[in-house]
Amino acid sequence: MGCRGQTFHLSHFDGGTHLRLSELTRDGVLRDLDPLILDAVVLGTANQLLCLHFAGHLALDDAAIRAALDACWHAIAAAPRLTE
């Protein structure tokens, strides 16, 4: 089975989301990447996890969800700034 050809739409990317991601990037919270890339990293990961779960390959329990959230955050978060 699997998720070939299936996409789980978790949200749509609109102008408001784009502006918010841009603000977070400008403020140094997120990596300096195009907001579409940031969105794709997180939603693409979520989509694949759902595919694996519904195909019976992965149980999305609390620990797995926390680990996935942590991995996504580390993928898009800006490096901590050193203070003087």
Side-chain angles (χ1 to χ4, degrees):
M1 188 90 177
C3 287
R4 287 200 170 104
Q6 293 181 351
T7 302
F8 298 96
H9 296 284
L10 302 177
S11 70
H12 69 280
F13 195 85
D14 60 22
T17 303
H18 186 277
L19 289 174
R20 183 69 180 135
L21 291 175
S22 294
E23 286 176 23
L24 292 169
T25 298
R26 183 193 66 231
D27 293 344
V29 175
L30 300 177
R31 292 179 61 186
D32 188 14
L33 296 170
D34 185 301
L36 289 172
I37 294 172
L38 295 170
D39 189 65
V41 168
V42 174
L43 293 181
T45 299
N47 186 60
Q48 184 61 24
L49 290 171
L50 288 172
C51 284
L52 292 169
H53 175 75
F54 290 129
H57 300 298
L58 175 69
L60 282 178
D61 58 16
D62 287 344
I65 292 169
R66 276 193 301 275
L69 288 172
D70 186 62
C72 284
W73 175 248
H74 286 288
I76 66 169
R81 293 184 178 159
L82 299 177
T83 58
E84 294 181 36

